[in-house]
Amino acid sequence: MAWNHMRWNERMSGFGGVAGRAIAVCLLLAANGAGAQTNPGMAPSGETIPALFVSDIHFEPFFDPGKVAQLAAAPVSEWKEILAAAPSADREQRFAVIEQSCRARGEDTAYALLESSVQAMRKEAAGAKFMTVSGDLIAHAFQCKYGAVFPHAAPGDYRAFVEKTVDFVIGELSSAVHSAPAYVALGNNDSDCGDYQLDANSEFLTAVGEEVARTFPADERKGAAETFTTGGYYNVRLPAAVPNARMIVLDDQFMGAKYSTCGSKADTSAADAQLAWLAQQLAEARRNREKVWVMAHIPPGVDVRASVTRMDAVCSATGPKMFLASEKLADVLAEFGDVVELAIFAHTHMDEVRVLKTENGAQGAASSNGVAVKMVSSISPIDGNAPSFTVARVESSTAALKDYKVFAASNATGVDTAWHEEYDWGKTFHESDFSATAVSKLIAGFAADRGAKTEASHAYIRNFYAGVDSPLLGLVWPQYVCGLRNDSAQGFKACVCPAAK
């Protein structure tokens, strides 16, 4: 699901020197007594390292239908050569037929765009210590397109082709950061049986988990692959450059409002098990005084796009449309606000921020500041947005996200495409970091600016579509802002409905 502004138009008409650090260490030892010791893994305060955030690639292997049979027969190691070869003579006509028969709403990421994106990442994120990929690796309507090309495929062939496509995309993205780890989450499209459908403990998750864990340190690969088989989730250390911090990746497709098993049955057991596991991991991190980043594909909270077109229902007993089937994920993250340094989501394809706080404004020592959420924009241009990715600066000693820049493409094809800096978080919004406090302050300013008149509101709206200046978000600005800080149906309804206030 994503923000399609064309459909909306129809509906809406600091670094210290070596000497300075030495003095600080001496003062710390004197203050704590002769027996005190410094943490040998602790990085100097203030130093930052680069990281790369990517999401919603939606790679389209069917872009040239004449090559798909070759891809299906070849190992993944030969895909680049096949995809880079001259296009089939009837490529455009055959692909148009597939798009029409599968009711595609636009074009996803062709090979040329994927390669242009990776080349730009290598340049702009040079030296990145890790990469996050927050889901949706394969194209929309994947199952329908496969059936159009292979109407008589044997059982198991579809799963094998999905696995190859996922492996290819992970491999291409990983090459952008060389030997650095790539933390990958699955999205609602990343399945061997259909959109928003997946089975826990499946052969598909086992196969994909092995590829996901490939860039991790040897001592963490087995554990990550095992839990990935269970439900697409894992817990690993962040790189040595960010000591005493962890990355927890979830597959919250199991928690989605539209989720069903491959047999089209409703089943909450996988979601319940995953949430219980998450709470255990966060509790252990709290005991160990570790900081944690949490990443998944589908954000908790209100699907504002789907809700603002049906405000009568929102303000009735029906309530707003929600991304997930329950508010449990948001509740767990907010409960551990002292542990969760950052939450990364995607799914909407747009460049967004949110903050998660405890329900009904409850203030607890652990969660009063909430959790800052960065929603990463897409490589896929299917919704009229420019392809984009994010290059972050992470403070080594605290795992805090200090700043980031978004880079956008000049066109959606990958052919003769130039990439440019779209905006810088710190410079644009005049913040020294990306924290729950900073994001909360920004959202409070948006809420006070119901007409979207301020410089900050203009900047957010301008960058929302990542490279495409569209005024449509401004038409529903008050309602949209309510969704940035009210992740529950009750809270959103109280914010947007006059009677509720």
Side-chain angles (χ1 to χ4, degrees), residues 68-88:
V68 179
Q70 298 178 65
L71 296 174
V76 175
S77 60
E78 296 179 8
W79 273 37
K80 281 177 69 73
E81 182 179 357
I82 296 170
L83 292 164
S88 304

Side-chain angles (χ1 to χ4, degrees), residues 65-258:
K67 296 180 178 180
V68 179
Q70 298 178 65
L71 296 174
V76 175
S77 60
E78 296 179 8
W79 273 37
K80 281 177 69 73
E81 182 179 357
I82 296 170
L83 292 164
S88 304
D90 58 352
R91 186 208 72 78
E92 290 188 20
Q93 298 94 320
R94 291 183 64 184
F95 184 59
V97 170
I98 291 174
E99 288 272 277
Q100 184 176 7
S101 65
C102 293
R103 299 182 180 180
R105 65 173 188 262
E107 292 189 6
D108 274 314
T109 301
Y111 174 72
L113 177 56
L114 178 63
E115 291 305 290
S116 177
S117 303
V118 170
Q119 291 173 16
M121 293 171 199
R122 289 172 183 158
K123 175 185 175 183
E124 305 298 347
K129 299 301 182 184
F130 64 92
M131 166 192 275
T132 68
V133 183
S134 39
D136 271 0
L137 308 179
I138 68 175
H140 294 89
F142 203 90
Q143 192 171 31
C144 176
K145 294 170 184 175
Y146 182 87
V149 178
F150 300 110
H152 305 295
D157 287 352
Y158 177 69
R159 190 188 79 203
F161 193 74
V162 174
E163 290 172 2
K164 282 186 175 182
T165 306
V166 169
D167 288 358
F168 176 74
V169 175
I170 293 176
E172 291 301 286
L173 294 176
S174 297
S175 73
V177 293
H178 304 292
S179 59
Y183 306 115
V184 179
L186 295 187
N188 53 282
N189 287 112
D190 302 324
S191 168
D192 63 331
C193 62
D195 196 15
Y196 293 99
Q197 292 184 293
L198 192 63
D199 283 343
N201 297 294
S202 64
E203 293 181 15
F204 172 75
L205 287 178
T206 297
V208 174
E210 291 177 358
E211 180 65 19
V212 167
R214 183 177 54 81
T215 62
F216 300 165
D219 63 337
E220 294 193 298
R221 289 175 198 159
K222 182 179 179 181
E226 287 177 350
T227 57
F228 201 96
T229 292
T230 300
Y233 53 85
Y234 55 93
N235 179 354
V236 293
R237 297 186 303 270
L238 278 170
V242 191
N244 206 40
R246 307 193 70 81
M247 170 69 76
I248 293 179
V249 174
L250 308 173
D251 187 348
D252 64 349
Q253 177 177 187
F254 290 107
M255 309 173 201
K258 300 180 181 180

Side-chain angles (χ1 to χ4, degrees), residues 255 275 278 299-301 322 324 326-337 345 355-359 367 371 373 486-488:
M255 309 173 201
L275 286 166
L278 173 62
M322 307 297 288
L324 301 180
S326 78
E327 297 159 24
K328 294 177 181 178
L329 177 57
D331 290 344
V332 171
L333 295 178
E335 179 186 350
F336 288 92
F345 295 97
V355 66
L356 303 175
K357 294 192 175 183
T358 50
E359 184 64 27
S367 56
V371 174
V373 174
N486 294 284
D487 56 82
S488 72

